[in-house]
Amino acid sequence: MKPAQPSTTKRIAHALNKSQTKSARMTWILAPCGLVTLLVWPLRDVLDPANIAMLYLLTVAFVALRAGKQAAIISALLSTGLLDFFFIHPRLSFSVGDAQYGVTLAVMLVVALIVANLTISLQRQTAAAIERERQSQALYQLASRLAGTTSLEQVSAATRDFLYQSQSCRSMLLMRHNDTLQPVETEHSLDSELQSAAATTAMQMAQTRHMRESECHWLFLPLFGSTYVRGVLAIDLGAMPPSDVDAQQALYEAIASLVAISVERLHFVEVAQRTQLQMTDERLRSSILSALSHDIRTPLTVLYGMSEALAQQSLPQDMRDTVEAMREQTLRLNSMVSNLLDMAKLRTGDLRLNMEWQPLEEVVGASIKLLGTALAQHPVHAALPADLPLLRFDAILIERVLCNLLENAAKYAPSGSAIRIEANTDNSLAHISVCNEGSHFPSDKLDKMFELFERGDAESNIPGIGLGLAICRSIVEAHGGTIRASSNDDSACVTFTLPLGEPPVIEVESEHE
Amino acid sequence: MSDPTILLIEDEVQIRRLVCKALETDGYRVVESGTLGKGLLQLHGAAPQLLILDLGLPDGDGIAFIRELRSQFTLPVLVLSARSAEGEKIRALDAGADDYLTKPFATGELLARVRAQLRRNPAESATPPTHFRFGEVEVDLAQRRVTRGGAAVHLTPIEYRLLLAMLADPGKVLTYRHLLRAVWGNAHSESNHYLRIYVSHLRQKLEADPTQPEYFLTETGIGYRFQI
């Protein structure tokens, strides 16, 4: 037996019970009793039988300490017999002359049995305490080894070494990848399909599983994370008897939970590092975005101003056309840059919504005014019901949605056709539509239109890079709404929804002060 | 009266040149500066009637500059700023700026804003007018009477106070905060939506098409502007 093995008292007692020969045990019983009898015989006339009984009790306690319960009981009976035979009158006979000594003998027998029992239970408790001490020592050792680990490989190696050194057990750490288990240290793997199946079951059922297979007794312990089973610790207990396995299972489960804590810790360290990285990343991205937006806008402003200044000169017609085209293209470039920057912000979650309760009418009016000359070819009719409640949205973003939709309608509808803005409500949503006549969406593209860089007609000669509707969708979805396109032969509509929520109550003002 | 002087503080040389040229073509005298420090000196030296200020200057905070300037000067301030910087615009307006332009801007728009600001400036020193007329609407402050197309329009006290607050600064961008304070007083606890509701009432009573107003204009995300 290795010194570091679980040399538990239970194991010793077990070993004693099993391996010691009967004769050895008999020696343990007979020798002390015989010795006491021999030593006391010369003093039989000096010592009172009660005192001799005390010496026998001492012997029983001694035997109990050294040779276990059975031996103690036998020696208790034997001592009582010896006392009666050699030291109680009439000597060298089992008969008891004085009734008094009958009491002495009976008491001695009872006390001897009690002493034997007490001694043994004390011994057991001591052994259990030592075992507990040893286990917590072992767990403490494992915990301190695991505390220093910085990777799953280290956790696996530390656990494996620990179990080998302290328990002489083979072990393996298996981590969950989706729904399968993979050994952390790839040079180790489970020997059979059966073992893998048992390990997977342990993970799925989140229960400890046993598997006996010829010389092996595998124990599969699930590693509980805060949300799900993160993996399985497999321990090969070898030929350990089942009763011992039961006794030790608590220890193995404690080991498994230590490993689980380490795994969990590593997981959260990783999450924290990732978040940190993401934050740095986002900060970088938003500073690049704002620098970009400033640096691109400055030359655009200059270009736009210059082409305007040129347009005011008296120029021949063809040059005037060129200058006008320059001015228009600059504006378009600017709107593309705005769209791209907005999209980037929406995508990176850089945009904080400034949600406020407000009448839809106001943002509709502002959008129409903002587009100005771009809508010159199309009369815009806004038909908003008078009882439309206040809606909660970010005015600037919804203005952007309406502008994009109006611009789109103006771009695709034949010149002179009307554009309508409509709104209505149902139980929980406000539906806002921008419709135009004289053009329609291709029916197979109705859903895809809102995807990034998607255009109704890829070969169309109408400018745009398909960002407008994708931005609309991102904004509307950020508000908790949806957006969809509908179309019939002669008209096209884009409808988006906004949740109605519960508008604040406005106190009605008294008519006179 | 000599040509009005305009101070332009902008760090981008090209934009400065462009704006200068446009303003000079329109008959203004322009003093220019690339930094806030030099701008401050010129503010004292050249006594301009209008300041055009870019908010993204390298040598300091444009908003703090406006706040400081307001303690000594009453000249109108027109701010140049990038789109999607509403917060910055609101802070500039609350600090005392009168109007803003978003880059890239049309020169025609710039000149219109400049003219509007210069027009409203002398009015501040003279006795404030007691009579306004816009479209079909007439407002007589002395008699507290509002008519539209000759017919009397009934305004509630709050609506009337809001109308006065807007008439007081025609052409100036009025932030939500400014208007809330003007109408409900310093201790106002009302939210922006109160203001929006009352502006909508005013539009319904005084605008031909309340959805597409001509006078009570929305500055989305910032506030309102009363435009005559």
Side-chain angles (χ1 to χ4, degrees):
Chain A
M1 202 182 278
K2 286 188 180 188
Q5 275 233 333
S7 51
T8 65
T9 316
K10 266 182 201 157
R11 279 201 176 181
I12 295 171
H14 186 78
L16 277 173
N17 286 344
K18 292 268 153 112
S19 64
Q20 262 190 339
T21 57
K22 252 186 179 163
S23 60
R25 205 161 54 228
M26 283 317 282
T27 317
W28 269 111
I29 301 165
L30 296 175
C33 297
L35 198 66
V36 168
T37 312
L38 280 176
L39 287 175
V40 177
W41 181 248
L43 305 170
R44 60 187 180 279
D45 292 325
V46 184
L47 288 173
D48 191 84
N51 291 330
I52 300 171
M54 292 294 150
L55 289 170
Y56 276 112
L57 280 181
L58 188 66
T59 316
V60 171
F62 176 74
V63 172
L65 262 178
R66 304 307 303 261
K69 192 168 183 172
Q70 269 182 324
I73 291 168
I74 295 171
S75 78
L77 292 169
L78 183 66
S79 301
T80 314
L82 288 171
L83 178 67
D84 181 17
F85 191 77
F86 288 107
F87 301 106
I88 303 265
H89 292 282
R91 285 187 182 130
L92 299 176
S93 132
F94 285 111
S95 58
V96 178
D98 195 333
Q100 266 196 68
Y101 292 118
V103 177
T104 308
L105 284 174
V107 170
M108 183 191 146
L109 182 63
V110 171
V111 172
L113 289 174
I114 290 171
V115 165
N117 255 324
L118 281 178
T119 314
I120 280 154
S121 75
L122 185 70
Q123 210 172 18
R124 265 202 207 128
Q125 279 167 19
T126 314
I130 290 170
E131 170 65 10
R132 275 198 301 274
E133 159 77 11
R134 207 194 58 80
Q135 285 192 358
S136 33
Q137 195 73 39
L139 287 175
Y140 174 75
Q141 241 180 47
L142 178 64
S144 62
R145 277 201 222 177
L146 287 176
T149 53
T150 54
S151 69
L152 279 177
E153 287 73 21
Q154 288 177 5
V155 171
S156 175
T159 314
R160 186 165 44 76
D161 292 349
F162 170 80
L163 279 167
Y164 189 75
Q165 284 162 16
S166 70
Q167 316 280 319
S168 299
C169 291
R170 277 204 299 151
S171 68
M172 198 180 302
L173 184 60
L174 303 153
M175 290 306 296
R176 182 184 203 144
H177 291 277
N178 298 322
D179 272 332
T180 59
L181 282 169
Q182 264 148 35
V184 173
E185 296 169 285
T186 41
E187 63 272 27
H188 301 267
S189 67
L190 288 169
D191 307 330
S192 72
E193 287 291 315
L194 268 173
Q195 290 172 8
S196 307
T200 310
T201 316
M203 172 185 78
Q204 282 162 352
M205 316 261 293
Q207 273 175 2
T208 304
R209 309 289 293 182
H210 295 264
M211 199 195 70
R212 290 178 187 84
E213 200 183 35
S214 60
E215 283 297 286
C216 304
H217 182 147
W218 282 93
L219 196 59
F220 297 102
L221 301 144
L223 304 175
F224 295 101
S226 50
T227 44
Y228 60 96
V229 176
R230 296 207 179 278
V232 168
L233 176 64
I235 304 176
D236 178 10
L237 300 173
M240 187 186 283
S243 61
D244 279 16
V245 173
D246 288 346
Q248 294 283 87
Q249 187 161 330
L251 172 68
Y252 294 124
E253 275 168 3
I255 290 172
S257 63
L258 275 181
V259 174
I261 289 167
S262 292
V263 169
E264 188 85 339
R265 173 177 61 82
L266 289 178
H267 169 75
F268 283 118
V269 165
E270 199 193 309
V271 168
Q273 278 171 347
R274 216 170 29 216
T275 314
Q276 178 78 39
L277 210 68
Q278 228 168 352
M279 274 164 60
T280 321
D281 207 40
E282 264 161 27
R283 222 172 296 141
L284 188 70
R285 206 158 33 196
S286 79
S287 66
I288 289 175
L289 276 181
S290 71
L292 209 66
S293 112
H294 176 259
D295 290 358
I296 292 178
R297 285 227 172 78
T298 301
L300 274 176
T301 308
V302 175
L303 266 180
Y304 184 66
M306 282 173 165
S307 54
E308 263 202 322
L310 266 180
Q312 281 165 6
Q313 312 283 320
S314 54
L315 297 169
Q317 188 56 40
D318 57 337
M319 273 180 82
R320 184 174 292 278
D321 289 348
T322 312
V323 168
E324 182 54 30
M326 267 174 63
R327 203 180 66 87
E328 255 175 42
Q329 297 297 316
T330 316
L331 266 191
R332 257 184 54 203
L333 192 57
N334 179 58
S335 107
M336 279 181 211
V337 168
S338 301
N339 272 341
L340 274 171
L341 290 172
D342 275 4
M343 198 66 210
K345 276 190 195 165
L346 282 167
R347 283 281 154 126
T348 53
D350 225 16
L351 212 64
R352 271 207 321 276
L353 296 188
N354 178 23
M355 303 285 267
E356 285 188 357
W357 291 99
Q358 45 204 314
L360 182 69
E361 165 189 276
E362 189 163 89
V363 72
V364 166
S367 311
I368 296 172
K369 177 147 176 42
L370 196 67
L371 287 178
T373 52
L375 294 176
Q377 306 294 318
H378 304 271
V380 179
H381 302 296
L384 306 178
D387 60 347
L388 195 69
L390 293 186
L391 296 173
R392 191 163 176 268
F393 56 84
D394 182 315
I396 289 166
L397 292 179
I398 293 300
E399 182 183 85
R400 182 123 199 100
V401 171
L402 286 168
C403 280
N404 280 351
L405 296 182
L406 285 170
E407 222 168 8
N408 240 27
K411 217 153 60 177
Y412 290 98
S415 168
S417 62
I419 297 173
R420 281 171 295 122
I421 304 175
E422 291 164 4
N424 55 64
T425 56
D426 61 18
N427 288 336
S428 58
L429 295 170
H431 301 259
I432 301 123
S433 309
V434 176
C435 300
N436 67 272
E437 275 154 26
S439 78
H440 61 95
F441 300 125
S443 55
D444 56 329
K445 292 256 182 141
L446 284 180
D447 297 327
K448 284 182 79 181
M449 274 171 34
F450 297 98
E451 280 164 27
L452 204 52
F453 301 118
E454 190 69 42
R455 291 175 53 187
D457 183 355
E459 299 303 316
S460 164
N461 58 356
I462 297 169
I465 49 170
L467 261 175
L469 287 177
I471 287 171
C472 291
R473 187 172 82 166
S474 298
I475 293 174
V476 169
E477 284 176 356
H479 281 79
T482 56
I483 190 165
R484 68 190 159 78
S486 58
S487 182
N488 59 38
D489 288 345
D490 202 32
S491 71
C493 275
V494 177
T495 305
F496 65 93
T497 62
L498 291 174
L500 285 178
E502 282 183 39
V505 181
I506 306 285
E507 294 156 35
V508 181
E509 179 197 10
S510 64
E511 283 291 300
H512 301 282
E513 245 168 332
Chain B
M1 191 176 149
S2 63
D3 294 337
T5 305
I6 297 173
L7 172 59
L8 169 65
I9 309 181
E10 158 70 73
D11 61 327
E12 296 287 343
V13 181
Q14 291 293 340
I15 293 183
R16 217 157 64 210
R17 232 179 66 188
L18 189 82
V19 173
C20 263
K21 193 144 180 267
L23 291 173
E24 276 165 358
T25 313
D26 232 38
Y28 300 104
R29 204 170 79 79
V30 184
V31 183
E32 48 181 300
S33 159
T35 60
L36 291 175
K38 193 177 155 209
L40 193 63
L41 289 178
Q42 283 165 333
L43 203 54
H44 288 276
Q49 275 83 53
L50 172 76
L51 168 64
I52 302 178
L53 173 69
D54 180 45
L55 281 185
L57 287 173
D59 71 327
D61 178 7
I63 291 160
F65 182 82
I66 297 172
R67 204 170 290 128
E68 196 186 312
L69 165 154
R70 272 285 167 257
S71 59
Q72 304 175 49
F73 299 92
T74 56
L75 85 170
V77 176
L78 174 60
V79 158
L80 302 181
S81 157
R83 205 186 63 80
S84 74
E86 271 65 27
E88 186 183 71
K89 289 173 197 162
I90 292 174
R91 283 198 303 280
L93 292 165
D94 277 334
D98 295 89
D99 198 357
Y100 68 89
L101 263 181
T102 300
K103 289 183 188 176
F105 46 84
T107 13
E109 186 70 26
L110 170 76
L111 293 172
R113 300 288 176 92
V114 166
R115 276 195 294 272
Q117 290 305 327
L118 286 174
R119 204 169 46 227
R120 61 180 216 93
N121 193 31
E124 279 185 357
S125 49
T127 40
T130 57
H131 197 268
F132 291 89
R133 173 193 276 273
F134 52 95
E136 292 188 306
V137 178
E138 281 188 63
V139 183
D140 187 341
L141 298 187
Q143 293 187 42
R144 205 184 177 281
R145 228 174 89 87
V146 182
T147 58
R148 180 176 166 191
V153 177
H154 176 76
L155 295 182
T156 67
I158 290 180
E159 285 164 7
Y160 188 71
R161 282 208 296 276
L162 177 62
L163 178 64
L164 291 193
M166 295 188 86
L167 291 179
D169 275 310
K172 182 175 154 81
V173 179
L174 306 167
T175 61
Y176 295 122
R177 213 172 78 161
H178 171 89
L179 285 173
L180 281 170
R181 195 174 285 174
V183 177
W184 279 276
N186 267 332
H188 71 83
S189 58
E190 277 75 12
S191 316
N192 292 351
H193 59 255
Y194 269 84
L195 186 56
R196 294 199 177 100
I197 296 260
Y198 283 104
V199 170
S200 138
H201 290 174
L202 272 189
R203 283 174 177 159
Q204 267 151 21
K205 289 180 179 177
L206 304 178
E207 290 274 3
D209 180 357
T211 317
Q212 298 184 42
E214 285 177 73
Y215 309 106
F216 300 94
L217 304 183
T218 306
E219 296 290 337
T220 305
I222 292 170
Y224 297 96
R225 180 207 302 269
F226 177 69
Q227 186 94 51
I228 292 191

